[in-house]
Amino acid sequence: MSFYTPETVLCNNEVFKVMLDQNQIQSRIAELGKELDRDFEDKKPIFIGILNGAFIFLADLMRHVSIPCEVDFYKLSSYGDEKVSSGQVKQRKDIDADITGRHIILVEDIVDTGLSINYILNIVKQKNPASVSIVSLLCKKDAIKYHVDVDYVGFDIPTKFVLGYGLDYAQEGKNLAQIYVLDENSNQKD
Ligand code: IMP
């Protein structure tokens, strides 16, 4: 199978370079899968993917988990087409599953300010689950404004805009199989 893994990407007239390659991403996800297997054995957790960004991570993560589990989706939007958060979260789709008394694993692509995950956490907790855990592939820990404990972090990254592997810039770049960051040298103006 061949995935889309260019060395650099031009997106909205800005150049992005590889920050995390396919091997780094996949081997970290395999480790996270093992941790979840261990921590949720006999708990039949429900993974709740936060759309749109988390769809690729969730699909790969679930294939590294070998305990019985279920999946559902919550859809949010906060970024619009910009590189900084709009600061406003909108719910686009609620979950369908009855999560009362169930063990929930919220799956995020990236925690930036923490606004989105806090918003969902509050909604999910009101539905009386047995437990709620958070797994995020990426965490910009220096950008957190709304405190949240992320239980499983794939990679801590600097406060820089990234794209690829489900993350987009004005809707582009989700199909890249690696994570890219703005190449400040290539984008420097003379
Ligand atoms: P937060 O609410 O500020 O934590 O932002 C979380 C959401 O913003 C993520 O689920 C992403 O959809 C989006 N986001 C945050 N940082 C980035 C980035 O660097 N690239 C693309 N999307 C991002």
Side-chain angles (χ1 to χ4, degrees):
M1 208 178 335
S2 77
F3 286 106
Y4 180 36
T5 58
E7 281 297 308
T8 57
V9 183
L10 186 65
C11 194
N12 292 308
N13 282 326
E14 291 177 275
V15 181
F16 288 79
K17 62 180 181 184
V18 178
M19 176 189 246
L20 295 166
D21 69 26
Q22 222 182 339
N23 288 338
Q24 288 172 293
I25 296 170
Q26 293 303 327
S27 41
R28 183 68 188 119
I29 293 176
E31 289 172 2
L32 290 172
K34 284 202 186 90
E35 286 182 47
L36 295 172
D37 270 351
R38 185 196 62 212
D39 296 350
F40 288 87
E41 196 180 6
D42 301 325
K43 290 187 173 164
K44 202 177 179 192
I46 306 180
F47 286 86
I48 298 184
I50 314 219
L51 297 174
N52 288 339
F55 75 107
I56 292 182
F57 174 45
L58 175 69
D60 281 347
L61 182 65
M62 283 197 74
R63 281 175 287 181
H64 284 288
V65 166
S66 51
I67 52 169
C69 58
E70 298 173 25
V71 67
D72 200 350
F73 296 94
Y74 196 92
K75 182 164 174 165
L76 278 190
S77 66
S78 68
Y79 255 52
D81 287 346
E82 306 300 327
K83 286 199 301 234
V84 288
S85 170
S86 64
Q88 285 186 333
V89 181
K90 286 193 195 125
Q91 177 185 313
R92 306 280 184 186
K93 179 203 167 296
D94 199 354
I95 47 173
D96 297 315
D98 177 2
I99 62 168
T100 312
R102 301 293 303 272
H103 295 278
I104 303 305
I105 303 174
L106 295 176
V107 182
E108 255 291 27
D109 49 357
I110 186 165
V111 173
D112 182 0
T113 63
L115 178 69
S116 312
I117 197 70
N118 266 295
Y119 178 90
I120 294 185
L121 206 52
N122 286 337
I123 292 176
V124 166
K125 279 183 178 164
Q126 283 167 21
K127 297 178 191 267
N128 299 315
S131 69
V132 188
S133 303
I134 300 170
V135 51
S136 184
L137 178 64
L138 306 174
C139 190
K140 296 184 192 171
K141 66 176 175 13
D142 298 330
I144 299 270
K145 287 192 197 148
Y146 305 87
H147 175 78
V148 64
D149 291 315
V150 182
D151 305 277
Y152 306 88
V153 176
F155 302 92
D156 280 314
I157 62 163
T159 309
K160 293 193 171 170
F161 189 80
V162 292
L163 90 161
Y165 199 74
L167 289 152
D168 68 87
Y169 178 13
Q171 307 306 320
E172 279 184 45
K174 283 187 189 297
N175 52 327
L176 293 157
Q178 317 187 108
I179 308 271
Y180 294 74
V181 66
L182 203 61
D183 184 347
E184 278 151 18
N185 294 327
S186 297
N187 289 298
Q188 264 170 10
K189 309 248 177 320
D190 293 327

